Amino acid sequence: MKTINVPVTDDVIIDLEVGDKILIYGKIFTGRDAALPKLVKSIKNGENLIDIHGSAIMHTAVSDAGISPTTSNKEEIEENIPYLSKAGVKIHIGKGALSEDTIKALQEENSIFIVTPPAAALLTSKVKEKKIAAFAEEGMEAIHELEVEGIPGIVAIAHGKSIY
């Protein structure tokens, strides 16, 4: 089991391989269908709503019931992964296989994709603090900033290779 602290550097990403089991600590962001396209648009417009350099983004909503990853290959999510990686996101957290184009884009930006169990009770128990970081109007699909201790995952895509 490898411990990953975010924000993360390129050196940490370089040392990870497909199949590695990890625990993530630190500040991560959430985003899914409604918020990720808005985040990309805001970045393209030169707005700095959140600092995503070296960050991790989990594809989930945040509710009182907890967090659990959504399918990352939904068009509204996957089409934003390459741009977010180019803008500084190093770790994308979700579930499901991603396209060859997305795998290549992740490789080009030295970013990775982590799959995590869709077990809300387990994942929610790892969240120590949460607050809305952007797009409050989206409710539970707003971008949230979470302080996490030990979110488990498996490296599913790294350096042009995929577990799928």
Side-chain angles (χ1 to χ4, degrees):
M1 191 73 68
K2 296 182 178 183
T3 298
I4 306 297
N5 294 298
V6 282
V8 67
T9 62
D10 279 330
D11 292 344
V12 171
I13 300 297
I14 288 169
D15 288 340
L16 293 172
E17 297 179 20
V18 169
D20 282 348
K21 295 174 185 165
I22 66 167
L23 294 172
I24 299 174
Y25 291 81
K27 178 176 69 174
I28 69 170
F29 295 104
T30 66
R32 51 175 290 166
D33 315 41
L36 290 181
K38 289 174 98 170
L39 178 60
V40 167
K41 184 177 178 181
S42 74
I43 294 168
K44 288 180 178 179
N45 289 336
E47 300 171 45
N48 293 315
L49 302 176
I50 58 175
D51 182 6
I52 61 171
H53 183 71
S55 70
I57 293 183
M58 178 182 272
H59 305 146
T60 187
V62 177
S63 72
D64 291 338
I67 61 170
S68 185
T70 192
T71 304
S72 299
N73 60 12
K74 293 181 201 173
E75 183 178 344
E76 297 84 359
I77 296 174
E78 186 169 2
E79 72 183 10
N80 293 292
I81 291 173
Y83 189 84
L84 290 169
S85 293
K86 188 172 186 154
V89 175
K90 289 294 170 190
I91 302 173
H92 301 268
I93 307 165
K95 65 179 185 179
L98 300 177
S99 72
E100 286 298 319
D101 287 342
T102 302
I103 293 169
K104 288 178 190 173
L106 288 167
Q107 180 180 15
E108 289 170 9
E109 301 304 331
N110 194 39
S111 295
I112 60 174
F113 179 62
I114 304 294
V115 292
T116 191
L122 168 66
L123 297 175
T124 303
S125 74
K126 305 299 183 184
V127 176
K128 303 308 172 196
E129 292 181 33
K130 66 180 177 180
K131 67 180 181 180
I132 294 177
F135 313 121
E137 69 276 9
E138 296 298 341
M140 66 183 206
E141 285 200 29
I143 303 254
H144 285 76
E145 179 183 304
L146 308 178
E147 185 68 33
V148 300
E149 292 183 357
I151 292 280
I154 297 171
V155 178
I157 299 172
H159 317 299
K161 297 177 184 170
S162 174
I163 204 167
Y164 296 101

